[in-house]
Amino acid sequence: MSKLDDALQRAMTSVPDCVAAGFVDLSSGMVLSVKTVDSHPSEVFDFLAAATTDLFQGPNVVAIENIFKKARGLPESTEMHYFQEVIVNSDNLIHVFLRGKKQQQVVCFVCRKGANLGMVLTKARAGMPSVEQAL
C-alpha cells in the first residue's frame, strides 16, 4: 500500500461515520487513491474525478471566481481559488470536498447522513495535511 493510500485510510478512519474517501488530482482529472467500506464499479471513481473537477474548475465556477477576483482588484491569472470546501448532502450521505493547499488536489470524504456535520468537517480538515504530505 502506498503512502497516499495509508494516509487516506488513516484520515478516513478518523472522520465520523466515513464510508469512503478519495483523492482527486484536478490537473490530471484522475482519482489517485480511493478507500471505501463497500465495493463499487470502477466507473464510479471515473465519474467522481470528473464531477470533482467540474465542481472546482468547471467553466461557471471559474467565471464566478474571476468575477470575485475582479471585484477585489486581483488579477484573474492568480492561482488563488475562492471555493475551498464544498458540502453536498444527498438522501443518505454527506459528501465533503476539501481543496488542498497546493490548490490542485481535492479530498472527498463520504459519510453517513447521521454523522455530526461539525465533527465531519473538523476531522476532515485535521486529516488533510497528512494526506497532502503523502503525495
Side-chain angles (χ1 to χ4, degrees):
M1 196 177 278
S2 75
K3 280 180 57 175
L4 180 57
D5 290 338
D6 289 341
L8 194 60
Q9 182 67 47
R10 281 191 308 277
M12 181 182 162
T13 58
S14 72
V15 176
D17 291 325
C18 190
V19 296
F23 189 91
V24 177
D25 180 58
L26 297 175
S27 58
S28 68
M30 295 178 60
V31 174
L32 300 183
S33 180
V34 67
K35 294 293 172 193
T36 179
V37 297
D38 297 321
S39 62
H40 300 284
S42 62
E43 299 88 43
V44 170
F45 305 122
D46 295 336
F47 283 117
L48 170 67
T52 302
T53 302
D54 286 346
L55 192 60
F56 283 90
Q57 294 184 170
N60 292 324
V61 172
V62 171
I64 290 169
E65 288 185 328
N66 287 337
I67 290 168
F68 287 156
K69 288 176 185 179
K70 184 177 179 182
R72 289 169 175 78
L74 299 171
E76 287 184 17
S77 63
T78 63
E79 291 298 317
M80 193 276 286
H81 294 277
Y82 283 93
F83 299 112
Q84 300 295 317
E85 298 177 355
V86 177
I87 301 166
V88 177
N89 291 304
S90 63
D91 286 341
N92 301 310
L93 299 168
I94 300 168
H95 310 259
V96 176
F97 299 84
L98 304 171
R99 185 188 293 267
K101 295 258 186 243
K102 296 177 183 174
Q103 301 291 298
Q104 289 302 310
Q105 292 83 28
V106 172
V107 176
C108 174
F109 294 99
V110 181
C111 303
R112 291 184 182 89
K113 187 73 169 192
N116 178 303
L117 181 57
M119 286 304 295
V120 167
L121 285 171
T122 298
K123 294 295 188 173
R125 289 171 182 159
M128 278 296 290
S130 63
V131 173
E132 286 184 285
Q133 287 175 346
L135 184 63

